[in-house]
Amino acid sequence: MTTPPVPAPAPVPASAATPAASASAPAALTSAPVPADRGPASRAAAPSAARSAARSAQKRRRSPRTPLSPRPSVPLTLVTGLVLVYTLLPLAWLFINATKDQKGLMDSFGLWFADDFNLWDNITRTFSYDDGAFLRWLLNTLLYVAAGAGGATVLAVLGGYALAKFAFPGRRAVFAVVIGAVAVPGTALAVPTFLMFSKMGLTNTPWAVIIPSLISPFGLYLMWVFAAEAVPTELLEAARIDGSGELRTFFRIALPLLMPGTVTVLLFSMVATWNNYFLPLIMIKDPDWYPLTLGLNAWNAQAQTAGGEPVFDIVITGSLLTIVPIVAVFLLLQRYWQSGLAAGSVKE
């Protein structure tokens, strides 16, 4: 017996195709194998197309320019370069001319070295000239800086912390007095200060330079503002609840938090005292108590006196040696100084 033939299925109309089959058609087309060889032109165009796609994706991923990441400004770069040259040019002139002797200063170009390199000889002559007066003036300057600038920093830290963290009657009046004192230039107070110290018999003594240097209205204001932001009031209240006294709270909790501002005030006070010229000029007449500023000016004035010996090479070398300690202190304490200036600029 033969099996009857199975009838062939009827063709399905195109309009009756299932959605699943229609949806799988594009996938089947995209998953179809690509011919291995498309010809030389197709193979050469593929890498360039890939590179173009990668560049487009990189441009899309690149973050837009914001105020925090601005585009480089060519005019701003040029202005910054000019300021840098303006700042470093006097230092370069000072170092170059400190390597010349008296004759080389007059015969050579100011911004280039002479034939002989006499820096070490000039340093030796600077410390030995006039019976070692330069070393004595250097020690006097260190004394004025240690006592004056150090004392001014201590008073500014204590006063700023007290004004920022303690409420008392007359606080606003103290604030007004401090702001007014900051606005008054030091030269305007020089003559009244001299008359007052003359009445007390303190002129021509180191106290005439140290005592006025202890007052730093700007340092007090800076520490006031810094302490208000750097020392949380809640932290002080927690220490008081735990039984800590005010002195222990200040030295163990507040002072470490105030260290960046303290170093900032110390740097400002040191530079002001180190470069102080007008106050010692009117207060001190004895050359043994001169600071470096007055001593170098006295050596420089020798060329204008009758029979005086011009020692411009020693004056220039002494000026170079004078700025070395200040530059070293700035480099060592730069990180504290920067953090002190930036404190309180970001709101938490």
Side-chain angles (χ1 to χ4, degrees), residues 99-329:
T99 64
K100 305 175 183 178
D101 55 8
Q102 187 70 25
K103 183 176 182 301
L105 285 173
M106 305 301 174
D107 297 341
S108 62
F109 179 60
L111 291 177
W112 195 246
F113 298 93
D115 297 334
D116 298 331
F117 190 84
N118 296 316
L119 178 61
W120 311 119
D121 296 337
N122 290 343
I123 293 176
T124 303
R125 290 185 57 212
T126 301
F127 280 99
S128 61
Y129 184 76
D130 197 9
D131 297 329
F134 182 84
L135 181 59
R136 184 167 61 251
W137 297 335
L138 177 61
L139 295 177
N140 293 339
T141 305
L142 292 176
L143 172 64
Y144 299 148
V145 169
T153 303
V154 172
L155 294 178
V157 172
L158 295 175
Y161 172 76
L163 291 170
K165 295 303 175 182
F166 293 93
F168 54 90
R171 187 179 177 187
R172 292 182 178 273
V174 173
F175 179 78
V177 171
V178 171
I179 294 298
V182 171
V184 176
T187 54
L189 301 176
V191 174
T193 304
F194 172 77
L195 295 176
M196 182 176 62
F197 277 75
S198 178
K199 291 292 184 180
M200 294 187 296
L202 295 179
T203 56
N204 205 26
T205 64
W207 297 109
V209 178
I210 293 175
I211 294 178
S213 301
L214 294 175
I215 309 302
S216 177
F218 176 74
L220 177 61
Y221 173 74
L222 186 61
M223 287 306 304
W224 187 347
V225 176
F226 185 82
E229 297 292 336
V231 182
T233 305
E234 296 79 7
L235 189 61
L236 300 180
E237 293 177 352
R240 291 164 185 157
I241 292 174
D242 291 340
S244 176
E246 293 298 336
L247 289 178
R248 184 179 181 184
T249 302
F250 173 75
F251 285 105
R252 298 294 297 273
I253 296 176
L255 189 58
L257 297 175
L258 294 174
M259 190 56 63
T262 303
V263 174
T264 304
V265 174
L266 178 63
L267 285 174
F268 284 136
S269 301
M270 285 182 58
V271 173
T273 308
W274 190 276
N275 296 328
N276 197 357
Y277 174 78
F278 190 66
L279 181 64
L281 178 64
I282 65 175
M283 291 291 187
I284 297 178
K285 300 301 179 184
D286 187 2
D288 291 339
W289 290 113
Y290 276 0
L292 286 172
T293 51
L294 285 185
L296 293 177
N297 181 69
W299 280 357
N300 187 54
Q302 287 184 182
Q304 302 175 2
T305 59
E309 178 188 7
V311 287
F312 298 122
D313 53 342
I314 297 180
V315 173
I316 293 175
T317 306
S319 302
L320 178 64
L321 296 176
T322 300
I323 67 173
V324 169
I326 291 295
V327 173
V329 170

Side-chain angles (χ1 to χ4, degrees), residues 14 24 27 41 50 53 62 96 185 191 254 319 343:
S24 62
R62 186 178 301 169
I96 291 173
V191 174
S319 302

